[in-house]
Amino acid sequence: MENEIRILIVEDLASDAELNIRETRKVLDNCSFKVVDTEKEFINSLGEFRPHLILSDYSMPEFDGLTALSLAVEHSPETPVIIVTGSVNEDTAVECMKAGASNYVIKQHIKRLGSAVLHALEERKLNISHKQARLALQESEQRYKALFDLSPVGILVQNSNNYIINVNQAYCRITGYDKEQLIGNHISVLVPGNDADNILVNTATIFRDSFFSREAECIRRDRSIVNLELTESSILLEKGEKGIMTIAIDITERKKAEEALRRSEAKYHDLFEANKDGISIIPILPDDTISKFLEINETGASMLGYSKQEILDIPVIKLETGVSETELKKRKENLVNYGTTSFESEFIHKSGKLVPVEVKAMVIMFEGRPSIMNIVREIADRKQTELLQRMLYNIASAAITVTNLEKFFECVSSELSVLMDTRNFYIAFYNETNRMLNSPF
Protein backbone atom coordinates (compact mmCIF):
# COMPACT_ATOMS: atom_id res chain seq x y z
CA MET A 1 0.00 0.00 0.00
CA GLU A 2 1.24 3.47 -0.87
CA ASN A 3 2.89 5.36 2.01
CA GLU A 4 2.64 2.30 4.24
CA ILE A 5 5.36 2.07 6.88
CA ARG A 6 6.91 -1.43 6.99
CA ILE A 7 8.32 -2.47 10.37
CA LEU A 8 10.39 -5.62 10.88
CA ILE A 9 10.23 -7.04 14.44
CA VAL A 10 13.00 -9.35 15.63
CA GLU A 11 11.48 -11.14 18.62
CA ASP A 12 11.14 -14.77 19.77
CA LEU A 13 8.20 -14.18 22.14
CA ALA A 14 4.84 -13.62 20.45
CA SER A 15 3.53 -11.66 23.43
CA ASP A 16 6.44 -9.21 23.31
CA ALA A 17 6.09 -8.87 19.52
CA GLU A 18 2.41 -8.05 20.00
CA LEU A 19 3.33 -5.48 22.64
CA ASN A 20 5.68 -3.76 20.15
CA ILE A 21 2.95 -3.76 17.50
CA ARG A 22 0.37 -2.30 19.90
CA GLU A 23 2.62 0.55 21.05
CA THR A 24 3.68 1.37 17.48
CA ARG A 25 0.08 1.52 16.25
CA LYS A 26 -0.60 4.19 18.84
CA VAL A 27 1.57 6.62 16.85
CA LEU A 28 1.33 5.19 13.30
CA ASP A 29 -1.93 4.52 11.47
CA ASN A 30 -0.74 3.11 8.18
CA CYS A 31 1.85 0.43 8.94
CA SER A 32 2.49 -3.27 8.46
CA PHE A 33 4.61 -5.67 10.50
CA LYS A 34 6.64 -8.81 10.00
CA VAL A 35 8.04 -10.85 12.91
CA VAL A 36 11.21 -13.00 12.63
CA ASP A 37 13.45 -14.69 15.19
CA THR A 38 16.31 -16.24 13.16
CA GLU A 39 19.21 -14.79 11.20
CA LYS A 40 18.10 -16.40 7.94
CA GLU A 41 14.58 -15.00 8.20
CA PHE A 42 16.00 -11.62 9.11
CA ILE A 43 18.32 -11.41 6.07
CA ASN A 44 15.56 -12.58 3.72
CA SER A 45 13.17 -9.98 5.12
CA LEU A 46 15.67 -7.18 4.56
CA GLY A 47 15.52 -7.89 0.83
CA GLU A 48 11.90 -8.98 0.41
CA PHE A 49 10.00 -6.97 3.05
CA ARG A 50 12.30 -3.90 2.73
CA PRO A 51 11.48 -2.46 6.15
CA HIS A 52 11.50 1.25 6.96
CA LEU A 53 12.30 0.43 10.62
CA ILE A 54 13.59 -2.53 12.65
CA LEU A 55 12.61 -3.29 16.26
CA SER A 56 14.90 -5.97 17.70
CA ASP A 57 15.11 -7.79 21.01
CA TYR A 58 18.61 -7.74 22.45
CA SER A 59 18.85 -11.42 23.44
CA MET A 60 17.12 -14.47 21.89
CA PRO A 61 17.88 -18.23 21.84
CA GLU A 62 18.86 -18.38 18.13
CA PHE A 63 19.63 -14.76 17.36
CA ASP A 64 20.62 -11.51 19.07
CA GLY A 65 20.12 -7.79 18.66
CA LEU A 66 23.77 -6.88 18.02
CA THR A 67 23.99 -9.37 15.16
CA ALA A 68 20.73 -8.04 13.72
CA LEU A 69 22.11 -4.53 14.05
CA SER A 70 25.36 -5.47 12.29
CA LEU A 71 23.49 -7.16 9.43
CA ALA A 72 21.15 -4.19 9.04
CA VAL A 73 24.10 -1.78 8.82
CA GLU A 74 25.69 -4.02 6.18
CA HIS A 75 22.63 -4.81 4.03
CA SER A 76 20.27 -1.89 4.66
CA PRO A 77 22.26 1.02 6.11
CA GLU A 78 19.41 3.51 5.69
CA THR A 79 17.08 1.46 7.93
CA PRO A 80 17.18 2.56 11.60
CA VAL A 81 17.26 -0.12 14.33
CA ILE A 82 15.72 0.27 17.79
CA ILE A 83 16.83 -2.27 20.43
CA VAL A 84 13.88 -3.34 22.61
CA THR A 85 15.05 -5.40 25.59
CA GLY A 86 13.92 -6.61 28.98
CA SER A 87 16.82 -4.99 30.79
CA VAL A 88 19.96 -3.17 29.78
CA ASN A 89 22.93 -1.87 31.68
CA GLU A 90 24.88 1.22 30.76
CA ASP A 91 27.68 -0.69 29.00
CA THR A 92 25.22 -2.60 26.84
CA ALA A 93 23.41 0.58 25.92
CA VAL A 94 26.68 2.26 24.90
CA GLU A 95 27.66 -0.82 22.89
CA CYS A 96 24.36 -0.76 21.00
CA MET A 97 24.62 2.94 20.20
CA LYS A 98 28.23 2.61 19.05
CA ALA A 99 27.21 -0.29 16.80
CA GLY A 100 24.73 1.98 15.05
CA ALA A 101 21.44 1.61 16.91
CA SER A 102 19.05 4.51 16.51
CA ASN A 103 17.74 4.05 20.07
CA TYR A 104 17.03 1.47 22.73
CA VAL A 105 13.88 0.96 24.81
CA ILE A 106 13.49 -1.12 27.99
CA LYS A 107 10.35 -3.28 27.90
CA GLN A 108 9.40 -2.08 31.38
CA HIS A 109 9.20 1.42 29.82
CA ILE A 110 7.53 0.28 26.62
CA LYS A 111 5.45 3.47 26.45
CA ARG A 112 8.65 5.18 25.24
CA LEU A 113 8.58 3.06 22.09
CA GLY A 114 6.09 5.27 20.22
CA SER A 115 8.20 8.42 20.47
CA ALA A 116 11.35 6.41 19.69
CA VAL A 117 9.69 5.05 16.52
CA LEU A 118 8.67 8.52 15.32
CA HIS A 119 12.14 9.90 16.02
CA ALA A 120 13.82 7.01 14.17
CA LEU A 121 11.59 7.40 11.10
CA GLU A 122 12.23 11.16 10.98
CA GLU A 123 15.94 10.49 11.33
CA ARG A 124 15.69 8.05 8.40
CA LYS A 125 14.09 10.71 6.21
CA LEU A 126 16.82 13.17 7.08
CA ASN A 127 19.56 10.63 6.40
CA ILE A 128 18.08 9.76 3.00
CA SER A 129 17.71 13.46 2.16
CA HIS A 130 21.32 14.15 3.16
CA LYS A 131 22.53 11.19 1.12
CA GLN A 132 20.64 12.38 -1.95
CA ALA A 133 22.06 15.87 -1.49
CA ARG A 134 25.59 14.48 -1.19
CA LEU A 135 25.14 12.38 -4.33
CA ALA A 136 23.71 15.34 -6.25
CA LEU A 137 26.64 17.50 -5.16
CA GLN A 138 29.13 14.80 -6.10
CA GLU A 139 27.53 14.37 -9.54
CA SER A 140 27.49 18.14 -10.08
CA GLU A 141 31.16 18.39 -9.12
CA GLN A 142 32.04 15.52 -11.46
CA ARG A 143 30.20 17.19 -14.34
CA TYR A 144 31.86 20.52 -13.64
CA LYS A 145 35.32 18.91 -13.41
CA ALA A 146 34.84 17.03 -16.68
CA LEU A 147 33.65 20.10 -18.57
CA PHE A 148 36.29 22.29 -16.94
CA ASP A 149 39.21 19.97 -17.69
CA LEU A 150 38.12 18.91 -21.18
CA SER A 151 37.01 22.31 -22.48
CA PRO A 152 38.89 23.30 -25.66
CA VAL A 153 38.83 26.94 -24.57
CA GLY A 154 40.76 28.34 -21.63
CA ILE A 155 38.86 28.62 -18.33
CA LEU A 156 40.20 30.41 -15.26
CA VAL A 157 38.49 30.96 -11.90
CA GLN A 158 39.54 33.70 -9.49
CA ASN A 159 38.17 34.82 -6.14
CA SER A 160 36.84 38.27 -5.30
CA ASN A 161 40.37 39.43 -4.50
CA ASN A 162 41.57 38.38 -7.96
CA TYR A 163 43.65 35.41 -6.80
CA ILE A 164 43.58 32.42 -9.15
CA ILE A 165 41.95 29.37 -7.55
CA ASN A 166 41.56 27.10 -10.58
CA VAL A 167 42.60 26.93 -14.21
CA ASN A 168 42.20 24.29 -16.92
CA GLN A 169 44.80 22.81 -19.25
CA ALA A 170 43.65 24.87 -22.23
CA TYR A 171 44.38 28.09 -20.31
CA CYS A 172 47.76 26.68 -19.30
CA ARG A 173 48.59 26.01 -22.94
CA ILE A 174 47.67 29.58 -23.87
CA THR A 175 49.85 31.11 -21.13
CA GLY A 176 52.71 28.60 -21.03
CA TYR A 177 52.33 28.05 -17.27
CA ASP A 178 51.72 24.83 -15.38
CA LYS A 179 48.52 24.70 -13.36
CA GLU A 180 50.45 24.67 -10.08
CA GLN A 181 52.36 27.79 -11.11
CA LEU A 182 49.16 29.79 -11.62
CA ILE A 183 46.97 28.69 -8.70
CA GLY A 184 47.47 30.97 -5.71
CA ASN A 185 48.91 33.82 -7.77
CA HIS A 186 47.23 37.18 -8.30
CA ILE A 187 45.67 37.63 -11.73
CA SER A 188 48.12 40.48 -12.34
CA VAL A 189 50.78 37.86 -13.15
CA LEU A 190 49.02 37.53 -16.52
CA VAL A 191 48.24 41.22 -17.07
CA PRO A 192 50.61 43.66 -18.81
CA GLY A 193 51.66 46.62 -16.72
CA ASN A 194 49.73 49.14 -18.79
CA ASP A 195 46.49 47.26 -18.07
CA ALA A 196 47.12 46.31 -14.42
CA ASP A 197 45.32 49.42 -13.13
CA ASN A 198 42.12 48.21 -14.83
CA ILE A 199 41.89 44.97 -12.82
CA LEU A 200 39.81 46.50 -10.03
CA VAL A 201 37.68 48.46 -12.50
CA ASN A 202 36.97 45.35 -14.58
CA THR A 203 36.21 43.31 -11.46
CA ALA A 204 33.67 45.89 -10.30
CA THR A 205 32.07 45.84 -13.75
CA ILE A 206 31.77 42.06 -13.72
CA PHE A 207 30.19 41.99 -10.24
CA ARG A 208 27.83 44.83 -11.18
CA ASP A 209 26.71 43.55 -14.58
CA SER A 210 27.33 39.80 -13.99
CA PHE A 211 28.86 39.55 -17.48
CA PHE A 212 31.73 41.25 -19.31
CA SER A 213 33.15 40.53 -22.78
CA ARG A 214 36.32 42.17 -24.07
CA GLU A 215 39.63 41.71 -25.82
CA ALA A 216 42.82 41.92 -23.76
CA GLU A 217 46.53 41.22 -23.85
CA CYS A 218 48.06 38.49 -21.69
CA ILE A 219 51.66 37.94 -20.61
CA ARG A 220 52.86 34.39 -21.17
CA ARG A 221 55.42 32.71 -18.97
CA ASP A 222 58.12 33.46 -21.56
CA ARG A 223 57.08 37.17 -21.34
CA SER A 224 55.66 37.18 -24.85
CA ILE A 225 52.24 38.77 -25.40
CA VAL A 226 49.14 36.95 -26.62
CA ASN A 227 45.80 38.51 -27.52
CA LEU A 228 42.75 37.00 -25.85
CA GLU A 229 39.03 37.30 -26.36
CA LEU A 230 37.63 37.14 -22.81
CA THR A 231 34.12 36.33 -21.63
CA GLU A 232 33.90 36.87 -17.88
CA SER A 233 30.99 36.32 -15.49
CA SER A 234 30.30 36.57 -11.80
CA ILE A 235 29.85 33.21 -10.05
CA LEU A 236 29.36 31.92 -6.51
CA LEU A 237 32.22 29.93 -5.03
CA GLU A 238 32.16 27.66 -1.99
CA LYS A 239 30.78 29.22 1.19
CA GLY A 240 28.90 31.77 -0.91
CA GLU A 241 31.94 33.88 -1.79
CA LYS A 242 31.80 35.80 -5.05
CA GLY A 243 34.22 34.83 -7.78
CA ILE A 244 34.89 35.33 -11.48
CA MET A 245 34.95 32.70 -14.21
CA THR A 246 36.89 33.69 -17.32
CA ILE A 247 36.61 31.92 -20.68
CA ALA A 248 39.53 32.80 -22.96
CA ILE A 249 40.13 32.27 -26.68
CA ASP A 250 43.55 32.99 -28.16
CA ILE A 251 43.00 35.47 -30.99
CA THR A 252 46.66 36.39 -31.46
CA GLU A 253 46.73 35.16 -35.04
CA ARG A 254 43.52 36.97 -35.85
CA LYS A 255 44.85 40.21 -34.37
CA LYS A 256 48.07 39.85 -36.31
CA ALA A 257 46.07 39.41 -39.49
CA GLU A 258 43.98 42.49 -38.70
CA GLU A 259 47.11 44.53 -38.03
CA ALA A 260 48.69 43.32 -41.25
CA LEU A 261 45.56 44.33 -43.11
CA ARG A 262 45.64 47.79 -41.53
CA ARG A 263 49.23 48.32 -42.66
CA SER A 264 48.48 47.05 -46.13
CA GLU A 265 45.69 49.55 -46.67
CA ALA A 266 48.29 52.21 -47.44
CA LYS A 267 49.48 50.06 -50.33
CA TYR A 268 46.13 48.73 -51.43
CA HIS A 269 46.73 49.49 -55.12
CA ASP A 270 49.72 47.15 -55.20
CA LEU A 271 47.98 44.46 -53.20
CA PHE A 272 44.47 44.94 -54.57
CA GLU A 273 44.14 41.72 -56.50
CA ALA A 274 46.36 39.64 -54.19
CA ASN A 275 44.50 40.50 -51.02
CA LYS A 276 42.71 37.59 -49.34
CA ASP A 277 39.79 39.90 -48.44
CA GLY A 278 37.28 41.17 -50.92
CA ILE A 279 38.01 44.79 -51.88
CA SER A 280 35.62 46.92 -53.86
CA ILE A 281 35.21 50.58 -54.75
CA ILE A 282 31.88 52.30 -55.40
CA PRO A 283 31.33 55.94 -56.34
CA ILE A 284 29.62 58.47 -54.08
CA LEU A 285 26.77 59.79 -56.22
CA PRO A 286 24.42 62.71 -55.46
CA ASP A 287 20.99 61.98 -53.98
CA ASP A 288 22.05 58.43 -53.00
CA THR A 289 21.70 57.22 -56.57
CA ILE A 290 22.05 53.43 -56.86
CA SER A 291 25.44 52.66 -58.29
CA LYS A 292 27.55 49.80 -59.59
CA PHE A 293 31.09 48.93 -58.61
CA LEU A 294 33.90 51.01 -60.02
CA GLU A 295 36.34 48.25 -59.17
CA ILE A 296 36.42 44.95 -57.30
CA ASN A 297 39.12 42.36 -56.87
CA GLU A 298 38.84 38.70 -57.82
CA THR A 299 38.51 37.68 -54.17
CA GLY A 300 35.45 39.90 -53.70
CA ALA A 301 33.80 38.61 -56.86
CA SER A 302 34.51 34.93 -56.20
CA MET A 303 33.30 35.33 -52.59
CA LEU A 304 29.81 35.74 -54.09
CA GLY A 305 30.31 33.22 -56.88
CA TYR A 306 30.69 35.70 -59.74
CA SER A 307 33.44 36.51 -62.14
CA LYS A 308 34.84 40.00 -61.90
CA GLN A 309 33.14 41.07 -65.13
CA GLU A 310 29.76 39.69 -64.07
CA ILE A 311 29.66 41.47 -60.74
CA LEU A 312 30.69 44.83 -62.18
CA ASP A 313 27.37 44.91 -64.08
CA ILE A 314 25.23 44.27 -60.97
CA PRO A 315 23.87 47.19 -58.89
CA VAL A 316 25.40 47.08 -55.42
CA ILE A 317 22.04 47.20 -53.66
CA LYS A 318 21.03 43.84 -55.18
CA LEU A 319 23.91 42.04 -53.49
CA GLU A 320 22.95 42.77 -49.87
CA THR A 321 19.90 41.59 -47.94
CA GLY A 322 18.00 42.61 -44.85
CA VAL A 323 19.35 46.16 -44.52
CA SER A 324 16.99 48.59 -42.82
CA GLU A 325 16.71 52.29 -43.57
CA THR A 326 18.01 52.95 -40.06
CA GLU A 327 21.15 50.90 -40.72
CA LEU A 328 21.78 52.66 -44.04
CA LYS A 329 21.37 56.03 -42.34
CA LYS A 330 23.83 55.04 -39.62
CA ARG A 331 26.45 53.96 -42.16
CA LYS A 332 26.05 57.20 -44.10
CA GLU A 333 26.37 59.32 -40.95
CA ASN A 334 29.57 57.50 -39.94
CA LEU A 335 31.07 57.99 -43.40
CA VAL A 336 30.15 61.69 -43.41
CA ASN A 337 31.33 62.38 -39.83
CA TYR A 338 34.32 60.08 -39.51
CA GLY A 339 35.20 59.00 -43.03
CA THR A 340 34.85 55.34 -42.08
CA THR A 341 32.35 52.79 -40.80
CA SER A 342 32.31 49.10 -39.91
CA PHE A 343 29.43 46.68 -39.89
CA GLU A 344 28.41 43.07 -40.30
CA SER A 345 25.90 42.02 -42.94
CA GLU A 346 24.84 39.21 -45.25
CA PHE A 347 25.55 39.30 -48.99
CA ILE A 348 23.67 37.24 -51.57
CA HIS A 349 25.72 34.58 -53.34
CA LYS A 350 25.08 33.85 -57.00
CA SER A 351 23.56 30.53 -55.88
CA GLY A 352 21.12 32.35 -53.61
CA LYS A 353 22.72 31.39 -50.28
CA LEU A 354 23.58 34.09 -47.76
CA VAL A 355 27.23 34.84 -47.01
CA PRO A 356 27.94 36.44 -43.57
CA VAL A 357 30.55 39.18 -43.91
CA GLU A 358 32.36 41.85 -41.94
CA VAL A 359 32.75 45.13 -43.85
CA LYS A 360 35.05 48.05 -43.21
CA ALA A 361 34.20 51.01 -45.42
CA MET A 362 36.14 54.24 -45.80
CA VAL A 363 35.93 57.36 -47.92
CA ILE A 364 38.77 57.68 -50.44
CA MET A 365 39.54 59.52 -53.66
CA PHE A 366 39.55 57.12 -56.59
CA GLU A 367 40.52 58.38 -60.02
CA GLY A 368 39.82 61.92 -58.89
CA ARG A 369 36.31 61.33 -57.51
CA PRO A 370 34.96 60.73 -54.00
CA SER A 371 34.37 57.01 -53.54
CA ILE A 372 33.92 54.37 -50.88
CA MET A 373 36.38 51.52 -50.56
CA ASN A 374 34.93 48.40 -48.93
CA ILE A 375 37.11 45.71 -47.39
CA VAL A 376 34.97 42.60 -47.02
CA ARG A 377 35.86 39.53 -45.00
CA GLU A 378 33.78 36.38 -44.96
CA ILE A 379 33.10 35.50 -41.28
CA ALA A 380 31.20 32.23 -41.48
CA ASP A 381 33.96 30.46 -39.50
CA ARG A 382 34.06 33.22 -36.90
CA LYS A 383 30.29 33.13 -36.51
CA GLN A 384 30.55 29.40 -35.96
CA THR A 385 33.30 29.96 -33.38
CA GLU A 386 31.18 32.55 -31.56
CA LEU A 387 28.25 30.15 -31.56
CA LEU A 388 30.45 27.40 -30.09
CA GLN A 389 31.85 29.82 -27.50
CA ARG A 390 28.37 30.82 -26.33
CA MET A 391 27.35 27.18 -26.25
CA LEU A 392 30.41 26.15 -24.19
CA TYR A 393 29.90 29.05 -21.80
CA ASN A 394 26.22 28.18 -21.26
CA ILE A 395 27.07 24.50 -20.67
CA ALA A 396 29.90 25.39 -18.25
CA SER A 397 27.59 27.75 -16.35
CA ALA A 398 24.88 25.09 -16.18
CA ALA A 399 27.37 22.56 -14.78
CA ILE A 400 27.91 24.89 -11.83
CA THR A 401 24.34 26.06 -11.25
CA VAL A 402 21.95 23.21 -12.08
CA THR A 403 20.90 20.87 -9.28
CA ASN A 404 20.25 17.59 -11.09
CA LEU A 405 21.39 15.62 -14.13
CA GLU A 406 18.02 15.88 -15.87
CA LYS A 407 18.14 19.68 -15.97
CA PHE A 408 21.80 19.57 -17.01
CA PHE A 409 20.96 17.17 -19.85
CA GLU A 410 18.17 19.50 -21.01
CA CYS A 411 20.64 22.39 -21.08
CA VAL A 412 23.28 20.43 -23.05
CA SER A 413 20.65 19.09 -25.45
CA SER A 414 19.20 22.56 -25.98
CA GLU A 415 22.62 24.08 -26.70
CA LEU A 416 23.72 21.30 -29.07
CA SER A 417 20.40 21.37 -30.94
CA VAL A 418 21.65 24.54 -32.64
CA LEU A 419 24.35 22.46 -34.34
CA MET A 420 22.81 19.02 -34.68
CA ASP A 421 19.72 16.86 -34.31
CA THR A 422 19.61 15.95 -30.59
CA ARG A 423 16.52 13.78 -30.66
CA ASN A 424 18.75 10.69 -30.41
CA PHE A 425 21.35 12.39 -28.22
CA TYR A 426 22.71 10.75 -25.07
CA ILE A 427 25.14 11.66 -22.29
CA ALA A 428 27.53 8.93 -21.19
CA PHE A 429 29.92 8.86 -18.22
CA TYR A 430 33.17 6.90 -18.29
CA ASN A 431 33.79 4.64 -15.29
CA GLU A 432 37.56 4.48 -14.79
CA THR A 433 37.25 1.40 -12.55
CA ASN A 434 35.57 -0.92 -15.03
CA ARG A 435 36.40 1.10 -18.16
CA MET A 436 32.77 1.10 -19.19
CA LEU A 437 30.48 3.85 -20.49
CA ASN A 438 27.30 4.42 -18.53
CA SER A 439 24.52 6.28 -20.35
CA PRO A 440 21.93 7.43 -17.79
CA PHE A 441 20.18 9.69 -20.32
Side-chain angles (χ1 to χ4, degrees):
M1 187 181 297
E2 188 177 359
N3 297 325
E4 182 181 66
I5 303 299
R6 298 181 296 276
I7 300 175
L8 180 61
I9 297 177
V10 186
E11 177 60 70
D12 62 321
L13 296 177
S15 58
D16 285 350
E18 186 58 36
L19 187 63
N20 290 341
I21 293 172
R22 186 187 68 193
E23 290 299 320
T24 302
R25 288 194 185 280
K26 289 180 180 180
V27 294
L28 293 176
D29 294 328
N30 188 17
C31 53
S32 61
F33 301 87
K34 183 173 183 180
V35 181
V36 299
D37 62 358
T38 66
E39 180 175 335
K40 182 178 179 180
E41 289 177 325
F42 179 76
I43 293 176
N44 289 339
S45 297
L46 289 178
E48 297 172 0
F49 187 57
R50 294 182 295 109
H52 296 92
L53 175 65
I54 298 170
L55 306 178
S56 177
D57 192 2
Y58 182 75
S59 179
M60 294 167 285
E62 298 185 31
F63 202 22
D64 66 86
L66 282 179
T67 302
L69 180 57
S70 176
L71 291 171
V73 169
E74 179 183 355
H75 296 284
S76 185
E78 294 173 356
T79 306
V81 178
I82 298 176
I83 301 296
V84 184
T85 183
S87 61
V88 62
N89 57 42
E90 184 175 342
D91 291 340
T92 303
V94 170
E95 183 181 16
C96 291
M97 299 304 287
K98 283 185 176 181
S102 174
N103 209 332
Y104 66 91
V105 176
I106 300 175
K107 292 180 180 179
Q108 287 83 348
H109 301 148
I110 197 65
K111 292 186 180 297
R112 286 189 59 247
L113 183 60
S115 61
V117 166
L118 293 177
H119 180 270
L121 291 173
E122 184 62 29
E123 188 178 63
R124 177 181 180 272
K125 288 182 181 179
L126 290 175
N127 289 337
I128 292 175
S129 177
H130 290 161
K131 181 180 179 181
Q132 291 173 341
R134 287 194 302 272
L135 288 174
L137 177 61
Q138 184 180 20
E139 291 170 353
S140 177
E141 289 175 344
Q142 288 173 346
R143 293 196 306 271
Y144 169 74
K145 186 177 185 302
L147 287 168
F148 189 88
D149 292 339
L150 299 177
S151 173
V153 297
I155 304 177
L156 179 145
V157 179
Q158 55 185 299
N159 63 20
S160 58
N161 294 319
N162 303 115
Y163 282 89
I164 301 168
I165 59 176
N166 205 357
V167 62
N168 71 349
Q169 288 302 316
Y171 210 105
C172 291
R173 287 193 296 270
I174 291 172
T175 62
Y177 285 95
D178 293 332
K179 186 173 185 177
E180 295 74 16
Q181 293 172 321
L182 286 175
I183 292 178
N185 274 301
H186 194 269
I187 194 67
S188 58
V189 72
L190 299 173
V191 179
N194 59 352
D195 200 33
D197 293 340
N198 293 325
I199 292 175
L200 293 179
V201 175
N202 293 338
T203 298
T205 300
I206 294 166
F207 287 150
R208 183 190 68 232
D209 300 337
S210 299
F211 187 85
F212 190 34
S213 182
R214 61 194 175 96
E215 292 183 2
E217 291 184 339
C218 172
I219 304 177
R220 287 174 48 86
R221 185 184 178 189
D222 61 7
R223 311 313 295 169
S224 63
I225 298 293
V226 291
N227 298 102
L228 301 180
E229 187 171 82
L230 303 179
T231 303
E232 299 180 290
S233 62
S234 174
I235 61 173
L236 282 180
L237 305 174
E238 294 181 4
K239 300 180 181 179
E241 180 189 358
K242 278 188 174 182
I244 297 173
M245 180 173 69
T246 301
I247 295 178
I249 297 177
D250 187 348
I251 58 170
T252 303
E253 294 304 316
R254 192 183 89 189
K255 297 296 287 186
K256 287 179 179 178
E258 291 173 353
E259 179 61 19
L261 177 60
R262 187 192 65 80
R263 291 194 302 266
S264 72
E265 287 173 355
K267 303 176 181 179
Y268 73 92
H269 285 295
D270 296 333
L271 301 175
F272 190 83
E273 290 297 340
N275 201 291
K276 64 182 179 180
D277 294 326
I279 301 178
S280 63
I281 298 173
I282 59 176
I284 299 177
L285 301 178
D287 303 322
D288 299 326
T289 304
I290 298 174
S291 64
K292 298 179 181 179
F293 293 106
L294 292 174
E295 184 62 276
I296 188 169
N297 66 351
E298 289 290 348
T299 302
S302 63
M303 186 184 297
L304 300 183
Y306 294 95
S307 69
K308 186 173 178 178
Q309 191 57 46
E310 285 177 323
I311 204 167
L312 286 173
D313 290 329
I314 300 174
V316 175
I317 196 170
K318 292 187 176 182
L319 296 173
E320 190 175 11
T321 182
V323 186
S324 65
E325 288 295 327
T326 301
E327 173 62 17
L328 289 173
K329 183 179 178 182
K330 179 182 177 182
R331 295 179 192 176
K332 182 177 179 181
E333 288 176 349
N334 285 338
L335 287 170
V336 170
N337 295 328
Y338 309 109
T340 183
T341 189
S342 299
F343 56 91
E344 291 184 4
S345 186
E346 289 183 323
F347 287 171
I348 304 172
H349 192 273
K350 186 178 181 180
S351 65
K353 73 176 183 179
L354 298 181
V355 180
V357 295
E358 182 182 71
V359 180
K360 182 175 182 180
M362 63 193 72
V363 177
I364 64 169
M365 294 297 293
F366 183 77
E367 297 180 348
R369 60 193 297 187
S371 303
I372 298 173
M373 182 175 72
N374 299 289
I375 300 174
V376 182
R377 175 172 295 179
E378 186 175 352
I379 57 172
D381 290 342
R382 197 186 84 189
K383 287 292 186 182
Q384 183 75 357
T385 299
E386 291 172 353
L387 177 64
L388 289 173
Q389 180 187 357
R390 287 195 299 272
M391 181 186 74
L392 289 169
Y393 172 79
N394 291 338
I395 292 175
S397 296
I400 299 173
T401 58
V402 298
T403 57
N404 59 67
L405 275 176
E406 184 175 355
K407 290 182 179 179
F408 177 69
F409 167 72
E410 291 175 358
C411 173
V412 174
S413 180
S414 174
E415 293 296 329
L416 291 181
S417 65
V418 178
L419 302 177
M420 59 188 246
D421 185 353
T422 58
R423 287 174 294 181
N424 294 318
F425 172 77
Y426 300 92
I427 290 180
F429 293 105
Y430 178 65
N431 187 321
E432 293 183 353
T433 303
N434 58 23
R435 297 184 178 181
M436 297 288 289
L437 287 175
N438 297 320
S439 182
F441 294 103

